[in-house]
Amino acid sequence: MTARILLIEDNHQNRYLATFLLEAHGFQVIQADSGPQGLELAASHTPDAILLDIQLPGMDGYAVATALKNDPRLNPIPIIAVTSYAMAGDREKCFAAGAVGYIEKPINPDSFVEEILRFLPRKSTETPR
Ligand code: MN
């Protein structure tokens, strides 16, 4: 089954590049360009994972992550933060808001999808231990 990724990103170029890379690896991508739209699409599509830009106008990524985690239906969906913030403490802030992973911008086309795969839950087809 194709994994569905919700991409919440306000920058058109980043959205284009991330979508291109994910689709090339067989993912289905749902795009949102704002926090509120992302929350709406998360509720209507229940994606397998959410790629969340932290620097969003209006409602920022931390607020989006908090809202997702406070919704019992959306709470289990893994959130991977994508941010160009380079300051110390941002990683911790992302994890505190509920993210399971953290990818730094600029997006590296050679490792982007591989990095995301590390944070996705194991497929049910895998042998349980
Ligand atoms: Mn942004």
Side-chain angles (χ1 to χ4, degrees), residues 73-89:
R73 287 179 313 132
L74 305 178
N75 176 283
I77 304 171
I79 299 169
I80 301 154
V82 184
T83 176
S84 53
Y85 283 167
M87 283 157 50

Side-chain angles (χ1 to χ4, degrees), residues 1 11 22 25-26 36 58 61 75 79 98 118:
M1 213 180 91
N11 179 277
L22 288 164
H25 284 78
N75 176 283
I79 299 169
R118 282 174 31 213

Side-chain angles (χ1 to χ4, degrees), residues 9-11 14 53-57 82 105:
E9 164 67 74
D10 66 308
N11 179 277
N14 285 332
D53 179 26
I54 294 300
Q55 285 179 294
L56 293 167
V82 184
K105 287 180 189 172

Side-chain angles (χ1 to χ4, degrees), residues 4 28 41 61 67 69 73-74 80-81 84 93 96 99 102 122:
R4 281 191 299 185
Q28 187 189 328
L41 291 176
K69 288 297 142 191
R73 287 179 313 132
L74 305 178
I80 301 154
S84 53
K93 246 178 114 179
Y102 178 102
R122 286 166 158 272

